[in-house]
């Protein structure tokens, strides 16, 4: 993570340190960035509250069979009449990327590569916490609802037998996509690089969720719950990291002040 070594506050006219140096422990966050983090925390808390409320509404709709859950069957019926053998195979190949067997391996390779490139443990630490929470939320949600999967007659094999709500593929992929996007925004200074990477990650998470409905493995509300829960948990991890950076900045500021005395 970060440290107070190489503190730019000791310089009477410090230049803003790029995020990559802050994350690598070569500089501390700038005062302006620290101030913005308070606003970010307030906005993030408000967004998190809204997400939790929407997730609760989705859960209630599933339990009572009304609200958004009313579109589950019509949407599934519409999707399953359009596939072809080639399309089924292609979507199955794609959705397998989000499985618990493949996604952890790919994610580990990516974050280890980022950690080596940026000389920082932050990608590994953040992703480890995010992934652990994501898996725990998925298992807890499935145990809580026990919702049955769509009929096998509408699904593309191989079939799945675990509870349907929420979609684990969607939840896990959403968390990983958001965390990777956050890391990119911290380290990549190119506007084009940021836009392209974040857009591709968002499309990946969206496509992963809808592939689950297309293959008949999940109801639409399972996917919606995965999107919301994944976004909420990723937001918690990011806010916690921003708080840690602020604490480190305050400690560095205090240490610098004590050194001047």
């Amino acid at each position: 993570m970060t440290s107070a070594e190489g503190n730019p506050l000791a310089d009477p006219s410090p230049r803003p340190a790029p995020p990559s140096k802050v994350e690598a422990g070569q500089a501390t966050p700038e005062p302006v960035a620290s101030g913005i983090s308070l606003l970010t925390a307030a906005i993030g808390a408000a967004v998190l509250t809204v997400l939790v409320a929407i997730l609760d509404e989705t859960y209630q709709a599933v339990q009572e069979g009304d609200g958004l859950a009313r579109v589950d069957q019509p949407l599934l019926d519409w999707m399953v009449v359009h596939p072809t053998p080639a399309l089924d195979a292609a979507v199955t190949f794609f959705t397998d990327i989000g499985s618990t067997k493949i996604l952890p391996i790919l994610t580990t390779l990516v974050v280890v590569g980022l950690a080596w490139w940026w000389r920082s443990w932050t990608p590994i630490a953040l992703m480890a916490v995010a992934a652990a929470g994501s898996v725990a939320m998925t298992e807890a949600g499935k145990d809580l609802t026990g919702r049955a999967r769509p009929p096998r007659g509408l699904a593309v094999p191989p079939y799945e037998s675990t509870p349907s709500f929420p979609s684990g593929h969607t939840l896990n992929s959403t968390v990983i996509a958001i965390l990777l996007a956050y890391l990119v925004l911290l380290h990549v200074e190119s506007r084009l690089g940021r836009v392209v990477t974040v857009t591709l990650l968002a499309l990946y998470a969206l496509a992963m969720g809808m592939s689950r409905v297309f293959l008949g493995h999940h109801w639409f509300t399972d996917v919606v719950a995965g999107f919301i829960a994944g976004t909420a948990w990723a937001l918690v991890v990011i806010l916690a990291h921003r708080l840690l950076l602020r604490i480190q900045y305050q400690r560095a500021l205090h240490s610098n002040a004590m050194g001047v005395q």
Side-chain angles (χ1 to χ4, degrees), residues 108-194:
T108 299
L109 292 175
V110 171
V111 296
V112 169
L114 293 178
W116 177 82
W117 184 17
W118 294 329
R119 299 297 189 270
S120 168
W121 287 99
T122 297
I124 296 176
L126 286 183
M127 195 60 72
V129 172
S134 177
V135 172
M137 290 179 65
T138 300
E139 295 301 322
K142 290 181 180 296
D143 291 342
L144 178 64
T145 61
R147 189 185 196 187
R149 298 266 181 171
R152 287 193 174 184
L154 299 178
V156 175
Y159 305 114
E160 301 189 30
S161 58
T162 57
S164 190
F165 184 96
S167 166
H169 281 65
T170 305
L171 199 161
N172 296 330
S173 294
T174 299
V175 169
I176 290 172
I178 292 177
L179 261 293
L180 288 178
Y182 172 64
L183 291 170
V184 167
L185 293 177
L186 282 178
H187 292 273
V188 177
E189 298 181 13
S190 166
R191 178 177 299 179
L192 178 61
R194 289 181 168 197

Side-chain angles (χ1 to χ4, degrees), residues 63-235:
Q63 293 299 303
E64 298 170 8
D66 60 6
L68 186 61
R70 292 177 179 175
V71 308
D72 277 342
Q73 191 65 56
L75 183 59
L76 181 64
D77 291 340
W78 180 81
M79 282 198 169
V80 298
V81 298
H82 289 80
T84 63
L87 187 56
D88 285 348
V91 177
T92 298
F93 174 80
F94 172 74
T95 199
D96 285 344
I97 295 175
S99 69
T100 54
K101 295 180 180 179
I102 299 179
L103 187 60
I105 297 175
L106 294 178
T107 303
T108 299
L109 292 175
V110 171
V111 296
V112 169
L114 293 178
W116 177 82
W117 184 17
W118 294 329
R119 299 297 189 270
S120 168
W121 287 99
T122 297
I124 296 176
L126 286 183
M127 195 60 72
V129 172
S134 177
V135 172
M137 290 179 65
T138 300
E139 295 301 322
K142 290 181 180 296
D143 291 342
L144 178 64
T145 61
R147 189 185 196 187
R149 298 266 181 171
R152 287 193 174 184
L154 299 178
V156 175
Y159 305 114
E160 301 189 30
S161 58
T162 57
S164 190
F165 184 96
S167 166
H169 281 65
T170 305
L171 199 161
N172 296 330
S173 294
T174 299
V175 169
I176 290 172
I178 292 177
L179 261 293
L180 288 178
Y182 172 64
L183 291 170
V184 167
L185 293 177
L186 282 178
H187 292 273
V188 177
E189 298 181 13
S190 166
R191 178 177 299 179
L192 178 61
R194 289 181 168 197
V195 171
V196 170
T197 304
V198 171
T199 300
L200 290 177
L201 287 170
L203 290 176
Y204 160 75
L206 178 63
M208 182 59 67
M210 296 313 299
S211 72
R212 306 304 290 161
V213 182
F214 179 86
L215 295 173
H217 294 167
H218 279 286
W219 304 101
F220 178 63
T221 43
D222 301 336
V223 170
V224 171
F227 284 138
I228 298 172
T231 301
W233 174 240
L235 182 59

Side-chain angles (χ1 to χ4, degrees), residues 13 23 39 153 177:
S13 301
E23 288 299 309
L39 177 60

